[in-house]
Amino acid sequence: MSPTDRPYSFVVYGATGFTGQLVAQNLPERLRQLPWAVAGRNQAKLQDMVRALPSDLKEPDIILADASDPSSLAAMCEKTKVVITTVGPYALYGEELLAACVQANTSYYDITGEPAFVSKSIEAYHEEA
């Protein structure tokens, strides 16, 4: 499936964590009505988080994805144009997701402040990405 044919404009991965919740709750106006999803490893926590979102947001779908399950990351990436991840530390949990995004031709955004992860990612994925 090409990125333009995917059901979601973006997915917030790690949406039940402190930063993920802030990202989801404070989406810019231009993103508020786009088709989107939240993702993480716990269905109940994701459902609770969605219920707590501001009422002016288009309600997101829920995707179960876990950093320790590469196939779940690949499936998530294939459904969206963009993944916004707040799951860190990125040196431990970021590379599998980044690889899945590159493989699926999905844009990847994170909030890392980990220079070693950034350098390693550029070296490993720049050409293919």
Side-chain angles (χ1 to χ4, degrees), residues 19 36 39 44 52 55 57 61 78 85 93 97 102 108 117 120 122:
T19 305
W36 67 299
S55 61
L57 285 174
D61 288 339
E78 291 169 1
T85 178
Y93 303 114
L97 176 58
V102 169
Y108 169 93
F117 172 75
K120 180 180 176 185
I122 291 169

Side-chain angles (χ1 to χ4, degrees), residues 17-99:
F18 179 78
T19 305
Q21 288 182 49
L22 288 174
V23 169
Q25 292 169 353
N26 293 288
L27 291 172
E29 186 66 33
R30 69 183 182 280
L31 301 179
R32 289 182 170 261
Q33 297 307 315
L34 294 174
W36 67 299
V38 292
R41 60 182 180 217
N42 186 303
Q43 177 85 25
K45 286 182 179 182
L46 288 163
Q47 289 170 328
D48 289 344
M49 184 278 232
V50 166
R51 282 192 285 276
L53 288 171
S55 61
D56 66 332
L57 285 174
K58 177 178 175 58
E59 186 171 311
D61 288 339
I62 292 173
I63 298 173
L64 292 179
D66 189 320
S68 67
D69 179 4
S71 65
S72 72
L73 298 176
M76 174 183 67
C77 293
E78 291 169 1
K79 295 177 185 171
T80 188
K81 297 173 186 172
V82 176
V83 170
I84 302 166
T85 178
T86 61
V87 176
Y90 293 92
L92 293 176
Y93 303 114
E95 187 167 0
E96 288 289 341
L97 176 58
L98 181 55

